Amino acid sequence: MASKMKSLYVCQNCGYENPKWYGKCPQCGEWDTMQEELRVTDRSAAARASGVGGGARGVAQKISEIETVGEHRYHTGLSEFDRVLGGGIVKGSVVLLSGDPGIGKSTILLQICQTLGAEETVLYASGEESPHQIKLRADRLGVDTENLLVLCETDVEVITEQVNAKKPDIVMIDSIQTMTLSELSSSAGSITQVRECTNLLLRTAKQLDIPVIIVGHVNKDGNIAGPKVLEHIVDTVLYFEGEKNYSYRILRAAKNRFGSTNEIGVFEMMDQGLRQVENPSKMMLEGRPANSSGSCVACVMEGMRPILAEVQGLVTNTSFGNPRRMANGYDYNRLNVILAVLEKRGGYYFSNMDVYLNVIGGIKLFEPAADLSVALSLVSSLKEAVVPDDVLAFGEIGLAGEIRAVGFCEQRVREAIRLGFKKIIIPKDNLKNISKETMAEAEIIGVQYIAQAFHAAL
Ligand code: TYD
Ligand code: MG
């Protein structure tokens, strides 16, 4: 292969090519735009290697004439993981599993090896840990399958050789930032290395019809290896998220060629690895103080799943000068908007008050549907009035103080009822979305303005 590849420096601004690197592009004069790229000189080899083929090459086909091939999916033993993938790992697909360092990517991969290893062989290539470290972790996770091959290597070509020799059913690469191609002079983790290594793995996956799971660390900007260089190359992109200080983790799909991106999986990090959480709402509401002011439960959608979370507000007199506002798990600017609406439309004055808002459990409420519970928790704290424990509210607050309809209303209400909430305050326009049976199970109140919501809840 080496003979057909050559490394070139290409200006990312104007496309100027040179075998040498320049700090300033000689053609367009831009600084620091030259990046190393690999060129396959034999074009037909490049086309073959891209592996997208399938039918006769270069001939357009009728869609009805293309054969349907039943996709084979491997089940990981973690149903939450399978669900996010759209029902398991598809043969020949490339999955990128990304997340902050230490979030549990290596742990979850090693864990699924146990179930996968019952019937398939798995090759786990690691450039981060020694065989000894991997063995220790496997022991801790109870992974003792005979069918797990461990390869500690950073050269992708060596890894693909091993894949060709050992013919495993599934390949895992931990992590792409440690992998290198010897033709490239740039260091491991650089954009060029990451992109070209992934391309090689992708070709191997498509040629041999083996799924490859690639671990990618997210850097400070929240991107995978600098710009999102990998996302368009791979078939599926999974994000593994969580707060360092909390044990739960959320797995979500940002892109999936074989399923929906609306599913999420919830896990909890335990001593023996990750445990699936089938009832996340219950977990989020654990340890909720009874009858205390400044607390209200919100219901937000995480993908297709409604999740309940407690919102706490604390409103105190400002001691010095400017009042403080703090939001944890909720958008700071949105908090200021809600405070302004409460002041102007509701007559609740926060101008000489410090306002602290906290969402329990480390979950982030990005959805406007959380507005109403935020407003309720703030007013509850301001007035020292308790929102009863069995009351839940959701709805978007408009600038006129109106409560606007939100999506997935029935699902949210059902989840609230399932967790024992008796009084559910929803936007009035959403009442028509609620079925008769659901209406009969709890007291469901439709509200149009914030004042009505406060009257109903406090
Ligand atoms: P790891 O999978 O190494 O993270 P990543 O590969 O995403 O960088 O996870 C490491 C963290 O998980 C580490 O902080 C310790 C914790 N952990 C547990 O709490 N329990 C366990 O059983 C394992 C294996 C790890
Ligand atoms: Mg790791």
Side-chain angles (χ1 to χ4, degrees), residues 87-124:
I89 307 169
V90 178
K91 239 181 155 180
S93 69
V94 178
V95 179
L96 176 67
L97 176 64
S98 60
D100 293 332
I103 208 81
K105 300 180 293 296
S106 309
T107 307
I108 199 168
L109 288 189
L110 211 51
Q111 241 176 302
I112 61 174
C113 286
Q114 182 65 12
T115 312
L116 291 171
E119 285 178 15
E120 330 313 320
T121 44
V122 184
L123 178 77
Y124 181 87

Side-chain angles (χ1 to χ4, degrees), residues 105-106 128-129 137 174 217:
K105 300 180 293 296
S106 309
E128 304 211 327
E129 286 161 299
R137 190 197 294 247
D174 191 3
H217 292 295

Side-chain angles (χ1 to χ4, degrees), residues 56-310:
R57 279 202 49 238
V59 183
Q61 274 178 290
K62 278 191 188 158
I63 191 160
S64 56
E65 284 167 5
I66 303 174
E67 263 179 78
T68 332
V69 214
E71 54 180 22
H72 182 83
R73 288 183 188 259
Y74 298 110
H75 297 287
T76 61
L78 289 174
S79 56
E80 297 276 309
F81 194 42
D82 283 350
R83 192 180 44 221
V84 177
L85 284 168
I89 307 169
V90 178
K91 239 181 155 180
S93 69
V94 178
V95 179
L96 176 67
L97 176 64
S98 60
D100 293 332
I103 208 81
K105 300 180 293 296
S106 309
T107 307
I108 199 168
L109 288 189
L110 211 51
Q111 241 176 302
I112 61 174
C113 286
Q114 182 65 12
T115 312
L116 291 171
E119 285 178 15
E120 330 313 320
T121 44
V122 184
L123 178 77
Y124 181 87
S126 176
E128 304 211 327
E129 286 161 299
S130 68
H132 185 66
Q133 280 175 308
I134 297 173
K135 175 73 179 148
L136 272 180
R137 190 197 294 247
D139 286 345
R140 188 134 75 95
L141 298 173
V143 177
D144 54 5
T145 168
E146 286 292 310
N147 293 331
L148 173 61
L149 304 169
V150 175
L151 172 65
C152 292
E153 180 57 63
T154 55
D155 189 328
V156 211
E157 276 174 89
V158 176
I159 294 174
T160 47
E161 270 162 30
Q162 279 292 303
V163 172
N164 279 305
K166 297 272 177 6
K167 294 270 180 313
D169 296 297
I170 294 150
V171 177
M172 296 174 179
I173 308 286
D174 191 3
S175 66
I176 194 68
Q177 273 88 4
T178 57
M179 297 295 152
T180 50
L181 257 181
S182 46
E183 280 104 356
L184 292 169
S185 53
S186 47
S187 58
S190 70
I191 293 174
T192 319
Q193 285 285 10
V194 164
R195 187 179 52 210
E196 295 306 330
C197 290
T198 311
N199 272 329
L200 181 58
L201 291 167
L202 181 85
R203 287 198 291 273
T204 315
K206 302 289 172 194
Q207 270 163 9
L208 302 177
D209 207 17
I210 297 176
V212 178
I213 305 180
I214 301 175
V215 169
H217 292 295
V218 171
N219 65 12
K220 267 202 221 122
D221 312 326
N223 295 332
I224 308 165
K228 299 190 162 194
V229 275
L230 297 184
E231 296 208 346
H232 66 277
I233 310 178
V234 301
D235 297 308
T236 304
V237 180
L238 305 180
Y239 277 98
F240 208 24
E241 310 171 336
E243 294 277 322
K244 277 270 161 62
N245 306 333
Y246 294 94
S247 61
Y248 86 94
R249 306 277 183 263
I250 291 182
L251 184 72
R252 58 176 100 234
K255 162 182 173 177
N256 195 351
R257 288 190 180 144
F258 307 104
S260 114
T261 52
N262 284 328
E263 295 291 354
I264 61 156
V266 184
F267 298 89
E268 193 178 1
M269 185 62 97
M270 314 284 279
D271 295 343
Q272 273 93 34
L274 290 150
R275 186 181 66 88
Q276 325 192 46
V277 180
E278 267 132 32
N279 194 349
S281 298
K282 185 158 171 273
M283 188 175 113
M284 291 293 165
L285 297 182
E286 259 164 28
R288 198 176 156 220
N291 289 323
S292 94
S293 66
S295 161
C296 183
V297 176
C299 181
V300 287
M301 297 299 292
E302 284 283 1
M304 294 299 282
R305 254 171 147 181
I307 291 188
L308 306 190
E310 184 190 352

